[in-house]
Amino acid sequence: MIQYVIDGGRPLIGTVLTGGSKNALLPILAATILYGGPCEIHRAPHLSDVENLLETLRYLGAKTHFCGDVITVDTTSLNRYDLPAEYTGRCRASISFLAPLLLRFGRCSVAYPGGCAIGARPINYHLEALRALGNFRITENGCGVEVQGTFTGGSYSMPYPSVGATECALMAACFSPMPCRIEGGALEPEVEDLAGFLNACGGRISFVKGIWQSEPAPFYLHDQTLRYTVIPDRIEAGTFALAIAATRGEGRILGCNPAQMQGVIRLLRATGAEVVSGQDVLLVRGRNRRLRGCDLVMAYPYPAFPTDLQAPACAFLSTCYGKSAVLDTVFPMRYAHVSELGKMGARIALAKAPGGEPYISILGGQLRGGRGESTDLRAGAALLIAGLCGKGRSVVTDRGFVARGYEAICEKFRGLGGRIWENRIY
Ligand code: EPU
């Protein structure tokens, strides 16, 4: 258990550096199996989810090494195709092993994935993608899924642009003996990064007129080291942007890609914060400004406002005068932070739209120090932002959620002048 202790009420001012994207790196780690040789992945953040996937790769027979921000993985000697719940239960991204194991062994057995409790997270689209792109026998036994068969190629029209299922489909497609088409897939930059990695492995994936396509490519084990650098973490960068504005500070976020952050940039500007974007830098100014709330912030698949910034945005909007409303269409039950933010002075509540769907209603004001508990990764980030804003001391308890997705978050906030420390309490 971690306890974050925060003395809030000071503007965050200065410069912070963005790390590599967690959600790009995790499927890429699973996809190293499709290279079948030594891979060097650069700009890798030290996160518990990353450690979990490295441990999983070692269990499967791969060799891994993590030094600085470079991960080396060699999957040449992979010798297992089963993943028990002991490994998959810790991290949602462990479902990314499905297609790579199938390609290497023609079969796999993967227990259902765990991960943050942010609502239902089924894998039906992943399995539909496999059925559409291969000739597989798929058995679900209540604890996980067993799959056996071969990739044949084909097309899959996705009922919803699920990030994980699109990634599964791309991994299934890239070494198919016949062309593949994936319509209605996710467009998140992390998916594009995975496609870039798969092409570096020898795949022939392209994105034409809104459709992911792949041409047949041979799969073989490689001797030469593949070097790949993951994209910057737009969610980490967005979290800092919201924190800087929420504390009415002024800061530069370096090493990010503002072109992939348009949803959060639009929100910040709509409240009256000043945002200036360069090629790999974002300047955020909330200093001496009276920021106003936003009529309706809707989390949708990319390029709209991201669900992963919904909770941090709620903390920010709780500091902006007037009313705001926030609706998450991606994970419609991702609202556990609402009651916790309330403990830190936020005037925030769950409400029901005329159609019956829940949304978050916020009336901005002054936050104050309080005690909250993080219930998932992004809810944890929201509470830290609230703690940095509220005058007085806040204590946020966290069962390791924040470390799943934010590297050295306290050091980074302290670099901006935040007074925040973490204690391991047991
Ligand atoms: N869904 C289904 N069936 C499926 C797959 C998804 O119904 O087979 C539904 C989910 O229940 C959800 C929606 O589709 O309501 C979106 O799920 P998606 O598959 O897009 O999400 P994911 O792949 O499980 C990734 C990120 C999440 C991020 C979402 C949406 C990783 C490891 N995780 O999850 O990141 O919120 O995409 O952008 O890439 C986080 O970083 O905090 C996090 C939760």
Side-chain angles (χ1 to χ4, degrees):
M1 179 84 91
I2 305 285
Q3 205 174 52
Y4 293 93
V5 180
I6 310 160
D7 283 334
R10 299 158 59 96
L12 294 176
I13 295 171
T15 299
V16 64
L17 185 64
T18 318
S21 162
K22 165 181 88 85
N23 288 346
L25 175 61
L26 297 178
I28 285 176
L29 285 178
T32 57
I33 293 176
L34 295 172
Y35 185 67
C39 295
E40 250 182 43
I41 314 294
H42 292 248
R43 206 194 269 142
H46 285 265
L47 302 170
S48 55
D49 270 4
V50 172
E51 292 300 339
N52 281 334
L53 285 214
L54 291 179
E55 210 179 305
T56 307
L57 279 163
R58 289 195 293 274
Y59 169 80
L60 293 169
K63 294 190 180 70
T64 75
H65 184 68
F66 197 170
C67 184
D69 70 349
V70 181
I71 293 178
T72 311
V73 183
D74 190 344
T75 61
T76 315
S77 54
L78 217 67
N79 53 23
R80 302 191 73 116
Y81 52 78
D82 65 301
L83 273 184
E86 185 191 342
Y87 290 92
T88 62
R90 300 182 211 157
C91 178
R92 168 75 182 178
S94 42
I95 197 64
S96 308
F97 284 102
L98 209 55
L101 287 175
L102 274 176
L103 187 91
R104 282 292 286 270
F105 297 105
R107 61 190 302 177
C108 70
S109 160
V110 178
Y112 289 130
C116 282
I118 52 177
R121 301 184 80 177
I123 58 165
N124 53 324
Y125 303 149
H126 300 241
L127 301 183
E128 274 179 21
L130 292 180
R131 282 194 187 97
L133 302 176
N135 185 8
F136 291 110
R137 190 155 57 82
I138 299 179
T139 323
E140 288 195 78
N141 59 15
C143 305
V145 57
E146 286 182 25
V147 189
Q148 196 165 357
T150 49
F151 291 107
T152 54
S155 56
Y156 179 47
S157 180
M158 298 191 62
Y160 178 85
S162 150
V163 171
T166 307
E167 291 169 347
C168 175
L170 289 178
M171 291 194 269
C174 79
F175 294 113
S176 252
M178 295 296 284
C180 297
R181 282 165 63 89
I182 300 144
E183 287 181 39
L187 311 177
E188 268 70 0
E190 295 76 16
V191 178
E192 201 184 325
D193 207 27
L194 173 68
F197 178 79
L198 294 173
N199 284 345
C201 291
R204 294 174 61 198
I205 295 172
S206 56
F207 185 69
V208 185
K209 295 187 182 154
I211 298 174
W212 289 105
Q213 307 186 9
S214 93
E215 290 301 318
F219 170 74
Y220 57 92
L221 301 182
H222 294 78
D223 299 328
Q224 283 209 330
T225 302
L226 167 63
R227 293 187 175 81
Y228 195 81
T229 303
V230 295
I231 54 171
D233 196 318
R234 65 192 169 101
I235 304 300
E236 185 199 25
T239 301
F240 282 110
L242 291 164
I244 290 165
T247 58
R248 302 299 183 269
E250 179 169 334
R252 284 193 314 163
I253 300 155
L254 297 182
C256 62
N257 184 349
Q260 296 174 345
M261 297 173 62
Q262 292 309 309
V264 68
I265 292 174
R266 268 196 302 273
L267 167 64
L268 286 163
R269 287 190 178 141
T271 63
E274 186 183 345
V275 182
V276 182
S277 57
Q279 203 182 333
D280 60 357
V281 59
L282 198 67
L283 265 84
V284 180
R285 286 197 190 102
R287 231 173 164 187
N288 302 324
R289 280 164 202 265
R290 188 153 187 253
L291 305 185
R292 57 187 176 272
C294 247
D295 280 352
L296 186 53
V297 180
M298 302 250 269
Y300 267 111
Y302 190 82
F305 189 84
T307 171
D308 292 342
L309 287 178
Q310 182 260 108
C314 285
F316 164 60
L317 290 168
S318 299
T319 70
C320 299
Y321 80 90
K323 285 186 184 166
S324 296
V326 179
L327 181 76
D328 195 327
T329 70
V330 182
F331 289 107
M333 301 309 287
R334 197 177 199 173
Y335 291 146
H337 49 288
V338 170
S339 57
E340 299 305 300
L341 284 172
K343 295 175 188 169
M344 298 164 104
R347 291 186 289 174
I348 181 169
L350 269 186
K352 276 225 159 79
E357 64 272 33
Y359 72 94
I360 300 172
S361 152
I362 301 171
L363 186 59
Q366 288 263 321
L367 301 187
R368 55 162 196 273
R371 298 183 82 89
E373 185 181 344
S374 96
T375 46
D376 65 77
L377 163 58
R378 308 302 173 185
L383 294 184
L384 299 190
I385 294 176
L388 289 161
C389 294
K391 281 211 168 67
R393 174 157 291 193
S394 290
V395 177
V396 176
T397 47
D398 169 54
R399 277 171 286 143
F401 292 116
V402 173
R404 296 174 80 143
Y406 293 96
E407 181 179 22
I409 193 161
C410 287
E411 283 90 326
K412 290 190 179 186
F413 276 136
R414 282 200 297 270
L416 291 166
R419 293 159 70 90
I420 173 167
W421 301 268
E422 62 180 277
N423 301 321
R424 190 167 291 273
I425 50 178
Y426 58 83

